Amino acid sequence: MSTPVITAAPTRDPLWHRLRSQLRNLAPFATLIVLVALFSALSPSFATWGNLANILQQVSITAIIAVGLTYVILCAEIDLSVASVANATGILLAFLTVQDASVNIANLPLPGALAILLSLAGCLALGAVTAFGVTRIGIPSFIMTLAMLQIGNGIGALLVRGQIAYSVPEVIVTLGSGSIGPVPWIVVVAGAVLLLGHLVLTYTRFGRYVYMVGGNREAAEHSGVGVRAIIGAVMVVSALCSGLAGMLGVAYFGSAQQNQFDNYLLDAISAVVVGGTSLFGGQGGIGNTIIGLLVLGVLNNGLDHIRMDSFLKILIRGLVLLLALVINVYAQRLRSQARTVG
């Protein structure tokens, strides 16, 4: 009687499987290394400590906005109002600060501390309206934040009426445009916000709930997680980060005016997505956002160093974002296939 031959089940290559599962994290880091090497070779002035400080300063405002947006995207939601909330908060702060007589704005001057508190309260109120619309009325976040984008722009326009304000409280001037030794204060603040955002996501129950809601909303509900409360909270966090960035940005730019932060919407979304945080929720984090910020900062700064045509630079940034989206969707597809096989 012949002995039956037992054929071993085919096994996956563990290294290849691990690399595929980490595609969303590895691709942005590899992109950053390639960009740094490329621009260092093309421009001797790129790879210097002074230029690194410039890059960090250039991405600081985007970084603060991107922290709140990371929370939102981890919940599989979106916030299109971040730039307009930043703009409205910065303008409100200037509106509540004594302006030079040459500034033709009928404003309401208040003590600096009170102006800051009221401005923060204003951005929190905008976030609360967004949270209410999304979680209680049931308006999709894309539509609700699109409406809030218009509302934020309208508030800014109503306050300054096409004029430009310049003065903000002294502490905001220091944090937005001052330095502590060779390090700009705005870089320190951005680093602190990124660190705090990472610690909350990684080590708190709220952070775990954010990942649960984004990863599987139905399972989170069955586990007793208040899904609507978490989504509402991340909308408020996003507004708070945007408001802080708006106040510091006014000091950084030296003025408060309409449409000043418009480019920061795309920049913040790009930083989160390019860094590898999943648009479908539940995957990614502040570490990914930091890599995305560095990729965009190095790309923009490096293209300036090699004197790239400004119009071509816009196209290149768009192509990089498109590539990040393709990788994001492909990584999600691999993740779904792995779940099906498992």
Side-chain angles (χ1 to χ4, degrees), residues 96-183:
L96 297 175
T97 305
V98 177
Q99 298 294 321
D100 186 84
S102 62
V103 177
N104 187 25
I105 298 176
N107 64 334
L108 180 63
L110 296 173
L114 184 57
I116 294 171
L117 289 175
L118 287 178
S119 299
L120 288 174
C123 70
L124 287 173
L126 292 174
V129 172
T130 301
F132 183 84
V134 173
T135 61
R136 296 297 174 180
I137 302 178
I139 304 172
S141 58
F142 178 88
I143 302 300
M144 184 65 200
T145 57
L146 186 63
M148 294 305 295
L149 181 155
Q150 293 293 325
I151 291 172
N153 286 340
I155 291 172
L158 186 64
L159 292 177
V160 295
R161 298 182 177 274
Q163 303 298 313
I164 301 176
Y166 299 97
S167 298
V168 293
E170 191 61 34
V171 64
I172 299 297
V173 173
T174 299
L175 294 177
S177 58
S179 298
I180 174 171
V183 181

Side-chain angles (χ1 to χ4, degrees), residues 33 116 157 165 322:
I33 297 300
I116 294 171
L322 176 60

Side-chain angles (χ1 to χ4, degrees), residues 177-193:
S177 58
S179 298
I180 174 171
V183 181
W185 266 112
I186 196 168
V187 174
V188 175
V189 174
V193 173

Side-chain angles (χ1 to χ4, degrees), residues 73-76 208-220 280-283 332 335 339:
I73 293 178
L74 281 172
C75 283
R208 291 194 296 272
Y209 286 172
V210 168
Y211 281 105
M212 289 175 65
V213 169
N216 191 322
R217 192 164 295 185
E218 185 176 345
F280 304 94
Q283 293 286 316
Q332 179 65 24
R335 182 184 173 200
R339 283 179 175 176

Side-chain angles (χ1 to χ4, degrees), residues 64-299:
I64 298 171
I65 297 174
V67 169
L69 199 55
T70 301
Y71 279 70
V72 173
I73 293 178
L74 281 172
C75 283
E77 302 288 347
I78 192 64
D79 187 354
L80 300 179
S81 67
V82 289
S84 64
V85 170
N87 203 35
T89 307
I91 288 176
L92 176 60
L93 180 64
F95 181 81
L96 297 175
T97 305
V98 177
Q99 298 294 321
D100 186 84
S102 62
V103 177
N104 187 25
I105 298 176
N107 64 334
L108 180 63
L110 296 173
L114 184 57
I116 294 171
L117 289 175
L118 287 178
S119 299
L120 288 174
C123 70
L124 287 173
L126 292 174
V129 172
T130 301
F132 183 84
V134 173
T135 61
R136 296 297 174 180
I137 302 178
I139 304 172
S141 58
F142 178 88
I143 302 300
M144 184 65 200
T145 57
L146 186 63
M148 294 305 295
L149 181 155
Q150 293 293 325
I151 291 172
N153 286 340
I155 291 172
L158 186 64
L159 292 177
V160 295
R161 298 182 177 274
Q163 303 298 313
I164 301 176
Y166 299 97
S167 298
V168 293
E170 191 61 34
V171 64
I172 299 297
V173 173
T174 299
L175 294 177
S177 58
S179 298
I180 174 171
V183 181
W185 266 112
I186 196 168
V187 174
V188 175
V189 174
V193 173
L194 286 165
L195 177 60
L196 180 60
H198 172 71
L199 293 176
V200 170
L201 274 179
T202 307
Y203 298 108
T204 68
R205 180 178 298 179
F206 174 71
R208 291 194 296 272
Y209 286 172
V210 168
Y211 281 105
M212 289 175 65
V213 169
N216 191 322
R217 192 164 295 185
E218 185 176 345
E221 288 180 344
H222 289 321
S223 300
V225 176
V227 171
R228 291 198 299 181
I230 296 299
I231 293 175
V234 299
M235 290 298 178
V236 173
V237 168
S238 180
L240 178 61
C241 291
S242 297
L244 176 60
M247 292 193 296
L248 297 180
V250 168
Y252 179 73
F253 296 128
S255 65
Q257 55 187 302
Q258 293 173 233
N259 306 319
Q260 188 166 237
F261 289 82
D262 284 0
N263 291 336
Y264 284 94
L265 171 60
L266 181 58
D267 287 348
I269 293 176
S270 298
V272 177
V273 175
V274 168
T277 293
S278 174
L279 288 166
F280 304 94
Q283 293 286 316
I286 299 300
N288 296 82
T289 298
I290 291 173
I291 297 297
L293 287 164
L294 292 176
V295 168
L296 294 178
V298 166
L299 180 64

Side-chain angles (χ1 to χ4, degrees), residues 290-312:
I290 291 173
I291 297 297
L293 287 164
L294 292 176
V295 168
L296 294 178
V298 166
L299 180 64
N300 290 330
N301 183 274
L303 291 175
D304 288 337
H305 271 262
I306 63 174
R307 302 176 187 272
M308 179 65 67
D309 181 274
S310 59
F311 297 103
L312 183 57

